[in-house]
Amino acid sequence: MFRRTFWFTAGAAAGVWATTKVNRKIKQLTPESLAAQAANKAVDAGHRLKDFALDVRAGMAQREAELGEALGLETPPDPELPAQRRLAAIEYITEHSHHSYNRNEDH
């Protein structure tokens, strides 16, 4: 008798657990839930992309400073200038302060 009661209770508990698990999964697969999950992942991807862009920008500034130091440019780039304008300024200074070694320019 106790054996039957034990197995009946165990089966009922397993049924309740499985039903709860299935209902949770069904709620996760509703269109609203899927849209919310996609939106959260898109926001997370945007944050990772922004962090990557900031890391790249910091690396560019560091490398630019290293190149300026190696080329003997004494004026540090103005941090308020956008990166492309700083690059153009460095290229202009480099063109006008050093002799070009391009063989094609002689002919």
Side-chain angles (χ1 to χ4, degrees):
M1 181 72 177
F2 289 111
R3 211 178 227 178
R4 285 185 183 175
T5 306
F6 170 76
W7 286 112
F8 177 78
T9 306
V16 169
W17 175 80
T19 303
T20 304
K21 193 96 169 159
V22 167
N23 284 336
R24 283 185 188 160
K25 192 54 108 174
I26 288 172
K27 286 181 184 176
Q28 286 179 351
L29 297 175
T30 61
E32 295 84 12
S33 178
L34 292 175
Q37 289 175 14
N40 288 338
K41 288 182 181 182
V43 169
D44 290 342
H47 288 302
R48 286 193 305 268
L49 186 61
K50 179 182 175 188
D51 292 341
F52 174 72
L54 291 174
D55 289 345
V56 168
R57 183 174 288 177
M60 284 174 40
Q62 179 183 357
R63 182 65 178 147
E64 196 172 301
E66 291 170 0
L67 289 173
E69 187 176 311
L71 293 173
L73 302 175
E74 295 186 20
T75 57
D78 186 3
E80 293 182 11
L81 286 178
Q84 290 199 0
R85 286 190 57 201
R86 282 194 307 246
L87 257 175
I90 289 173
E91 288 173 3
Y92 177 80
I93 291 170
T94 312
E95 283 178 341
H96 294 301
S97 64
H98 296 322
H99 179 8
S100 173
Y101 296 104
N102 186 351
R103 290 187 308 161
N104 295 329
E105 287 182 0
D106 294 337
H107 303 293

